[in-house]
Structures are given as structure tokens and as C-alpha cells.
Coordinates of all heavy atoms in Angstrom, one line a residue:
F767 N -2.1 6.5 -2.2 CA -2.6 5.9 -1.0 C -4.1 5.4 -1.3 O -4.5 4.3 -0.8 CB -2.7 6.9 0.1 CG -1.3 7.2 0.7 CD1 -1.1 8.3 1.5 CD2 -0.2 6.4 0.5 CE1 0.1 8.6 2.1 CE2 1.0 6.7 1.0 CZ 1.2 7.8 1.9
R768 N -4.8 6.2 -2.1 CA -6.2 5.7 -2.4 C -6.2 4.5 -3.2 O -7.1 3.6 -3.0 CB -7.0 6.9 -3.1 CG -7.5 8.0 -2.1 CD -8.4 9.0 -2.8 NE -7.6 9.9 -3.7 CZ -7.2 11.0 -3.3 NH1 -7.4 11.4 -2.0 NH2 -6.5 11.8 -4.1
E769 N -5.3 4.4 -4.1 CA -5.2 3.2 -5.0 C -4.8 2.0 -4.1 O -5.3 0.9 -4.3 CB -4.2 3.4 -6.1 CG -4.1 2.2 -7.1 CD -5.4 1.9 -7.8 OE1 -6.2 2.9 -8.0 OE2 -5.6 0.8 -8.1
L770 N -3.8 2.2 -3.2 CA -3.4 1.2 -2.2 C -4.6 0.7 -1.4 O -4.8 -0.6 -1.2 CB -2.3 1.6 -1.4 CG -1.7 0.6 -0.4 CD1 -1.3 -0.6 -1.0 CD2 -0.7 1.3 0.5
E771 N -5.4 1.6 -0.9 CA -6.5 1.2 -0.1 C -7.5 0.4 -0.8 O -8.1 -0.6 -0.3 CB -7.2 2.5 0.4 CG -6.4 3.2 1.6 CD -6.8 4.6 1.8 OE1 -7.8 5.0 1.2 OE2 -6.2 5.3 2.6
R772 N -7.7 0.6 -2.2 CA -8.6 -0.2 -3.0 C -8.0 -1.6 -3.1 O -8.7 -2.5 -3.1 CB -8.7 0.5 -4.4 CG -9.8 1.6 -4.4 CD -10.2 2.0 -5.8 NE -9.0 2.6 -6.5 CZ -8.9 4.0 -6.5 NH1 -9.6 4.7 -5.8 NH2 -7.8 4.5 -7.2
E773 N -6.7 -1.7 -3.3 CA -6.1 -3.0 -3.4 C -6.2 -3.7 -2.1 O -6.4 -5.0 -2.1 CB -4.5 -2.8 -3.8 CG -4.3 -2.3 -5.2 CD -4.5 -3.3 -6.3 OE1 -4.7 -4.5 -5.9 OE2 -4.7 -2.9 -7.4
L774 N -6.0 -3.1 -1.0 CA -6.2 -3.7 0.3 C -7.6 -4.2 0.5 O -7.8 -5.3 1.1 CB -5.8 -2.8 1.4 CG -4.3 -2.3 1.5 CD1 -4.1 -1.3 2.6 CD2 -3.5 -3.5 1.6
S775 N -8.6 -3.5 0.1 CA -9.9 -4.0 0.2 C -10.2 -5.2 -0.6 O -10.9 -6.1 -0.2 CB -10.9 -2.9 -0.2 OG -10.9 -2.6 -1.6
Y776 N -9.5 -5.3 -1.8 CA -9.7 -6.5 -2.6 C -9.0 -7.7 -1.9 O -9.5 -8.8 -2.1 CB -9.0 -6.3 -4.0 CG -9.6 -5.2 -4.8 CD1 -8.8 -4.5 -5.7 CD2 -11.0 -4.9 -4.7 CE1 -9.4 -3.5 -6.5 CE2 -11.5 -3.9 -5.5 CZ -10.7 -3.2 -6.4 OH -11.3 -2.1 -7.1
A777 N -7.9 -7.4 -1.2 CA -7.2 -8.6 -0.5 C -7.8 -9.0 0.7 O -7.3 -9.9 1.4 CB -5.7 -8.0 -0.3
G778 N -8.9 -8.4 1.2 CA -9.6 -8.7 2.4 C -9.5 -7.8 3.6 O -10.0 -8.0 4.6
G779 N -8.7 -6.8 3.3 CA -8.6 -5.7 4.4 C -7.5 -6.1 5.3 O -7.2 -7.2 5.8
V780 N -6.7 -5.0 5.7 CA -5.7 -5.1 6.8 C -6.0 -4.1 7.8 O -6.8 -3.1 7.6 CB -4.3 -5.0 6.2 CG1 -4.0 -6.0 5.2 CG2 -4.1 -3.6 5.6
T781 N -5.4 -4.3 8.9 CA -5.6 -3.3 10.1 C -4.8 -2.0 9.9 O -3.9 -1.9 9.0 CB -5.1 -4.0 11.4 OG1 -3.8 -4.4 11.2 CG2 -5.9 -5.2 11.7
G782 N -5.1 -1.1 10.7 CA -4.4 0.2 10.6 C -2.9 0.1 10.7 O -2.2 0.8 9.9
A783 N -2.4 -0.8 11.5 CA -0.9 -0.8 11.7 C -0.3 -1.4 10.4 O 0.8 -0.9 9.9 CB -0.5 -1.8 12.9
A784 N -0.9 -2.4 9.8 CA -0.4 -3.0 8.6 C -0.5 -2.0 7.4 O 0.4 -1.8 6.6 CB -1.1 -4.3 8.2
E785 N -1.6 -1.2 7.4 CA -1.8 -0.2 6.3 C -0.8 0.9 6.5 O -0.2 1.3 5.4 CB -3.2 0.3 6.4 CG -3.5 1.3 5.2 CD -5.0 1.7 5.3 OE1 -5.9 0.8 5.5 OE2 -5.3 2.9 5.1
D786 N -0.6 1.3 7.7 CA 0.5 2.4 8.0 C 1.8 1.9 7.5 O 2.6 2.7 6.9 CB 0.5 2.7 9.4 CG -0.8 3.5 9.8 OD1 -1.5 3.9 9.0 OD2 -1.0 3.6 11.1
R787 N 2.2 0.7 7.8 CA 3.4 0.1 7.3 C 3.6 0.2 5.9 O 4.6 0.5 5.3 CB 3.7 -1.3 7.9 CG 4.9 -2.0 7.4 CD 6.2 -1.3 7.8 NE 7.3 -2.1 7.3 CZ 8.6 -1.6 7.3 NH1 8.7 -0.3 7.6 NH2 9.6 -2.3 6.8
L788 N 2.5 -0.3 5.1 CA 2.6 -0.3 3.7 C 2.7 1.1 3.1 O 3.4 1.3 2.1 CB 1.4 -1.0 3.1 CG 1.3 -2.5 3.4 CD1 -0.1 -3.1 3.0 CD2 2.4 -3.3 2.6
K789 N 2.1 2.1 3.8 CA 2.1 3.4 3.3 C 3.5 4.0 3.5 O 4.1 4.7 2.7 CB 1.1 4.3 4.0 CG -0.3 4.0 3.5 CD -1.4 4.9 4.1 CE -2.8 4.6 3.5 NZ -3.8 5.4 4.2
E790 N 4.1 3.7 4.6 CA 5.6 4.0 4.9 C 6.5 3.5 3.7 O 7.3 4.2 3.3 CB 6.0 3.5 6.2 CG 5.4 4.2 7.5 CD 5.8 3.5 8.8 OE1 6.7 2.6 8.7 OE2 5.2 3.8 9.8
L791 N 6.3 2.2 3.4 CA 7.1 1.6 2.4 C 6.8 2.3 1.0 O 7.7 2.5 0.2 CB 6.7 0.1 2.3 CG 7.3 -0.8 3.4 CD1 6.8 -2.2 3.3 CD2 8.8 -0.8 3.4
L792 N 5.6 2.7 0.8 CA 5.2 3.3 -0.5 C 5.9 4.6 -0.6 O 6.5 4.9 -1.7 CB 3.7 3.5 -0.5 CG 3.1 4.1 -1.8 CD1 3.5 3.3 -3.1 CD2 1.6 4.2 -1.8
L793 N 5.9 5.4 0.4 CA 6.7 6.7 0.4 C 8.2 6.4 0.2 O 8.9 7.2 -0.4 CB 6.4 7.5 1.7 CG 5.0 8.0 1.8 CD1 4.9 8.7 3.2 CD2 4.6 9.0 0.7
E794 N 8.6 5.3 0.8 CA 10.1 5.0 0.7 C 10.5 4.6 -0.6 O 11.6 5.0 -1.2 CB 10.4 3.9 1.8 CG 11.9 3.6 1.9 CD 12.1 2.5 3.0 OE1 11.5 2.6 4.0 OE2 12.9 1.6 2.7
V795 N 9.8 3.7 -1.3 CA 10.3 3.1 -2.6 C 9.6 3.8 -3.8 O 10.1 3.6 -4.9 CB 10.0 1.6 -2.6 CG1 10.7 0.8 -1.5 CG2 8.5 1.3 -2.6
Q796 N 8.5 4.5 -3.5 CA 7.8 5.3 -4.5 C 7.4 4.4 -5.7 O 7.5 4.9 -6.9 CB 8.7 6.5 -5.0 CG 9.0 7.4 -3.9 CD 9.9 8.5 -4.3 OE1 11.1 8.5 -4.1 NE2 9.4 9.6 -5.0
D797 N 6.9 3.2 -5.5 CA 6.5 2.3 -6.5 C 5.3 1.5 -6.0 O 5.4 0.6 -5.2 CB 7.6 1.4 -6.9 CG 7.3 0.6 -8.1 OD1 6.2 0.2 -8.4 OD2 8.3 0.2 -8.9
L798 N 4.1 1.9 -6.4 CA 2.9 1.2 -6.0 C 2.8 -0.2 -6.3 O 2.4 -1.1 -5.5 CB 1.6 2.0 -6.6 CG 0.3 1.4 -6.2 CD1 0.1 1.5 -4.7 CD2 -0.8 2.2 -6.9
E799 N 3.3 -0.6 -7.5 CA 3.2 -2.0 -8.0 C 4.1 -2.9 -7.0 O 3.7 -4.0 -6.7 CB 3.7 -2.1 -9.4 CG 3.4 -3.5 -10.0 CD 3.6 -3.5 -11.5 OE1 4.0 -2.5 -12.1 OE2 3.5 -4.6 -12.1
R800 N 5.2 -2.4 -6.7 CA 6.1 -3.2 -5.7 C 5.4 -3.5 -4.4 O 5.5 -4.5 -3.8 CB 7.4 -2.6 -5.5 CG 8.4 -2.6 -6.7 CD 9.7 -1.9 -6.4 NE 10.4 -2.6 -5.4 CZ 11.6 -2.1 -4.8 NH1 12.0 -0.9 -5.1 NH2 12.3 -2.8 -4.0
I801 N 4.7 -2.4 -3.9 CA 4.0 -2.6 -2.6 C 2.8 -3.5 -2.8 O 2.6 -4.4 -1.9 CB 3.5 -1.2 -2.2 CG1 4.7 -0.3 -2.0 CG2 2.7 -1.3 -0.8 CD1 5.8 -0.7 -1.0
T802 N 2.0 -3.4 -3.8 CA 0.8 -4.3 -3.9 C 1.2 -5.7 -4.2 O 0.5 -6.6 -3.9 CB -0.1 -3.8 -5.1 OG1 0.6 -3.7 -6.3 CG2 -0.7 -2.5 -4.7
N803 N 2.5 -5.9 -4.8 CA 2.9 -7.2 -5.0 C 3.2 -8.0 -3.6 O 3.2 -9.2 -3.5 CB 4.3 -7.3 -5.8 CG 4.1 -7.1 -7.2 OD1 2.9 -7.3 -7.7 ND2 5.1 -6.7 -8.0
L804 N 3.5 -7.2 -2.6 CA 3.7 -7.7 -1.3 C 2.5 -8.5 -0.8 O 2.5 -9.4 0.0 CB 4.0 -6.7 -0.2 CG 5.5 -6.1 -0.3 CD1 5.6 -5.0 0.8 CD2 6.5 -7.2 0.0

């Protein structure tokens, strides 16, 4: 999650709802690179 938050800050930042959705997906697929590719 901390690494994802760093990636999101590089991308310009997303809101809480979008971040929560990405974290849900991260727990589901267990692959950070696939999530950051989105």
C-alpha cells in the first residue's frame, strides 16, 4: 500500500474512493505491478 501511494503521488494523486478501489484490487490480484499499470 505504501508503495502504491508513492506511485499515485507520482501520477498526480487520486481521491480516497479511487485509492480504496486500487487497494481492493491489489489485495485481490496480489500483484503491485499490474495495479500500477492501470
Side-chain angles (χ1 to χ4, degrees):
F767 288 166
R768 281 190 283 272
E769 183 61 30
L770 176 60
E771 288 164 1
R772 280 193 290 272
E773 292 287 342
L774 293 177
S775 67
Y776 299 149
V780 299
T781 59
E785 184 175 321
D786 290 345
R787 172 61 178 167
L788 291 172
K789 288 180 177 179
E790 288 174 11
L791 287 173
L792 182 57
L793 292 177
E794 183 180 319
V795 302
Q796 297 177 260
D797 189 326
L798 180 61
E799 190 171 358
R800 285 181 70 189
I801 301 302
T802 55
N803 282 343
L804 285 178

